[in-house]
Amino acid sequence: MVPRTSPHPRVGAAPTVLKIVIAGGFGAGKTTAVGAVSEITPLSTEEYLTEASADVDSLAGIEAKETTTVAFDFGRLSLPDAPIPLELFLFGTPGQDRFVDLWYDLSRGAVGAVVLVDTRRLESSFTPVSFFEDIGLPFVVAVNQFDGAHRYHPQQVRTALELPASVPVVTCDARDTNHVAGVLLTLVDHASTNRADHTPSTTLQDA
């Protein structure tokens, strides 16, 4: 899926600036997704995993993982040829449940969120899904199709996560620029339909 273009783009129009949160469980591919689509060198707060975290950061199913985000990732994507020119500020969250307090800060002023799902560790997706439901922030679920992982139909994932029909569920490869850009556009479309029901408590500049 590639970013859609308008047959009559607004020449010289200032882009609409939107803040988007990229969330998901530990090892779901958030840092990879931000890095794949960012037009700038992404800001990353990756640190090496240590033995001290072994009891709280399970590597079951992701044994090759050596680092983890400890604050947030940041990237930027401009889409000047979208129906409305966009500039997206992307904030990737740390995945572990113990960072939930930080998720509130990162979500402040956001138009919506992408929840990346790793079907090998589906249980790690329940906390971010519940978080965005609780704060009333529009979100989409993107199933990251890891090499060697079983492929599930989006409807199966929807059922497993008990998602309402109103929440889009898509598949993607978080390493692929076009895939990630397509997921972001899906979120923007989804968030625009929920705008009347969601009024951010702060402005983008506060985030």
Side-chain angles (χ1 to χ4, degrees):
M1 181 175 184
V2 297
R4 295 167 299 172
T5 59
S6 170
H8 303 290
R10 296 186 299 167
V11 177
T16 297
V17 178
L18 301 175
K19 177 182 179 182
I20 290 175
V21 177
I22 311 292
F26 178 49
K30 301 174 295 295
T31 298
T32 299
V34 172
V37 80
S38 179
E39 65 198 17
I40 63 172
T41 300
L43 170 65
S44 178
T45 58
E46 289 275 288
E47 295 291 344
Y48 282 99
L49 293 165
T50 65
E51 291 185 5
S53 69
D55 292 337
V56 291
D57 293 335
S58 171
L59 294 177
I62 52 171
E63 287 81 6
K65 186 171 177 60
E66 297 180 343
T67 61
T68 185
T69 298
V70 296
F72 63 89
D73 301 311
F74 173 75
R76 186 186 71 204
L77 174 63
S78 297
L79 297 171
D81 296 326
I84 298 175
L86 298 172
E87 186 170 2
L88 307 180
F89 289 171
L90 312 174
F91 289 80
T93 71
Q96 298 91 323
D97 292 359
R98 65 179 181 273
F99 290 111
V100 166
D101 286 345
L102 180 57
W103 297 1
Y104 284 102
D105 294 332
L106 293 175
S107 298
R108 201 171 286 133
V111 70
V114 173
V115 177
L116 277 173
V117 168
D118 179 356
T119 56
R120 301 170 303 176
R121 297 161 55 90
L122 190 64
E123 69 282 355
S124 68
S125 302
F126 284 97
T127 297
V129 164
S130 296
F131 175 82
F132 293 116
E133 288 178 336
D134 289 345
I135 68 172
L137 191 65
F139 68 96
V140 302
V141 166
V143 181
N144 191 5
Q145 296 186 317
F146 287 89
D147 293 339
H150 182 77
R151 300 292 192 254
Y152 292 93
H153 190 277
Q155 186 57 43
Q156 293 176 289
V157 176
R158 180 187 303 281
T159 300
L161 294 177
E162 301 179 345
L163 297 170
S166 58
V167 176
V169 180
V170 298
T171 59
C172 75
D173 183 336
R175 301 167 297 185
D176 187 291
T177 300
N178 285 341
H179 281 207
V180 179
V183 171
L184 295 173
L185 283 173
T186 298
L187 172 63
V188 171
D189 285 345
H190 176 60
S192 68
T193 65
N194 288 272
R195 192 169 300 160
D197 300 324
H198 173 66
T199 303
S201 58
T202 61
T203 64
L204 178 63
Q205 287 74 22
D206 292 327

